[in-house]
Amino acid sequence: NAGVTQTPKFQVLKTGQSMTLQCAQDMNHNSMYWYRQDPGMGLRLIYYSASEGTTDKGEVPNGYNVSRLNKREFSLRLESAAPSQTSVYFCAGGTPGNQPQHFGDGTRLSIL
Amino acid sequence: GENVEQHPSTLSVQEGDSAVIKCTYSDSASNYFPWYKQELGKRPQLIIDIRSNVGEKKDQRIAVTLNKTAKHFSLHITETQPEDSAVYFCAASGGTYKYIFGTGTRLKVLA
């Protein structure tokens, strides 16, 4: 039982490159989330998926896209990376109003 | 919109003393309140949670209290130890599909 698994753990990109961050959960959560956390800061919601087949913008969606591939998987894509997107990205699964979120270990992304 | 205010932003206590972190939420439909601990370089991990039909919950040295009328909930850590040093986040959930997080409290336990 792995919980929430994120890949990759670390990545360095050049400005303008694209990449997809992968997230998979085996906890049967209906809802999944992507956050970014900048140094010394709190968690900011990028996008979330309330259930399979739906996605919604969070607090800071600009420059990102998401895909809820199935109940288990929720990916985050940077189409044209910018230095301002350097951050730690956390994926989480949860059942809002009833259970806590479970977070992955994070992806540390640096954009040069 | 939904909002959770968390205070203080930093808290230093002597080892063995108690620490209290307070949160206030805005969405009256919130009915579930988890607390997370995040150590440096690690993911946030749940330490305790409380549901709206309960006023207080305790787990060893950690307790959470909830006042639904005032929309306040608090984390209490007794007999603090150096390993309690971390960033603590409160959250509120239930009104929407989102979890609304506080801005975090950096707790330092001084040996």
Side-chain angles (χ1 to χ4, degrees):
Chain A
N1 186 349
V4 179
T5 302
Q6 291 183 235
T7 56
K9 295 189 184 303
F10 302 92
Q11 184 70 48
V12 179
L13 294 177
K14 294 181 180 178
T15 298
Q17 287 185 316
S18 62
M19 83 161 294
T20 299
L21 309 185
Q22 307 287 352
C23 176
Q25 55 106 1
D26 61 3
M27 307 184 77
N28 204 35
H29 288 305
N30 286 326
S31 301
M32 296 185 74
Y33 307 81
W34 276 105
Y35 295 90
R36 62 175 288 174
Q37 186 175 38
D38 299 320
M41 303 290 286
L43 298 159
R44 291 191 290 171
L45 182 64
I46 304 171
Y47 270 93
Y48 67 103
S49 171
S51 60
E52 186 179 351
T54 68
T55 60
D56 285 285
K57 295 179 180 179
E59 182 185 354
V60 288
N62 291 345
Y64 305 95
N65 284 301
V66 291
S67 295
R68 182 74 182 269
L69 305 171
N70 48 54
K71 187 172 185 178
R72 291 188 63 249
E73 297 172 286
F74 187 40
S75 61
L76 178 72
R77 182 161 178 84
L78 288 70
E79 290 290 353
S80 179
S84 61
Q85 294 177 304
T86 293
S87 191
V88 178
Y89 291 83
F90 287 102
C91 176
T95 305
N98 189 32
Q99 294 181 16
Q101 286 180 307
H102 294 91
F103 288 84
D105 286 333
T107 295
R108 284 150 184 78
L109 183 62
S110 294
I111 299 161
L112 307 177
Chain B
E2 313 103 341
N3 184 49
V4 172
E5 293 187 3
Q6 183 172 347
H7 298 283
S9 57
T10 60
L11 179 60
S12 294
V13 299
Q14 291 291 329
E15 182 178 0
D17 286 351
S18 296
V20 180
I21 302 171
K22 298 182 178 181
C23 290
T24 303
Y25 62 97
S26 61
D27 187 352
S28 57
S30 298
N31 61 354
Y32 176 70
F33 307 91
W35 284 89
Y36 294 87
K37 176 183 181 182
Q38 187 178 28
E39 297 176 341
L40 190 62
K42 302 286 185 66
R43 61 182 169 177
Q45 291 197 292
L46 178 78
I47 55 171
I48 196 167
D49 57 6
I50 192 167
R51 290 177 171 76
S52 59
N53 58 347
V54 176
E56 183 174 359
K57 182 177 179 181
K58 190 173 182 180
D59 183 2
Q60 298 183 352
R61 295 187 297 108
I62 295 173
V64 57
T65 58
L66 171 65
N67 182 331
K68 281 213 73 178
T69 302
K71 298 183 188 173
H72 290 168
F73 59 115
S74 299
L75 177 71
H76 304 254
I77 306 174
T78 60
E79 301 173 19
T80 53
Q81 301 168 5
E83 52 264 39
D84 294 329
S85 295
V87 178
Y88 292 81
F89 291 98
C90 63
S93 174
T96 68
Y97 285 102
K98 295 182 284 188
Y99 294 74
I100 310 302
F101 281 85
T103 49
T105 296
R106 185 172 300 277
L107 175 63
K108 296 181 183 178
V109 179
L110 307 172

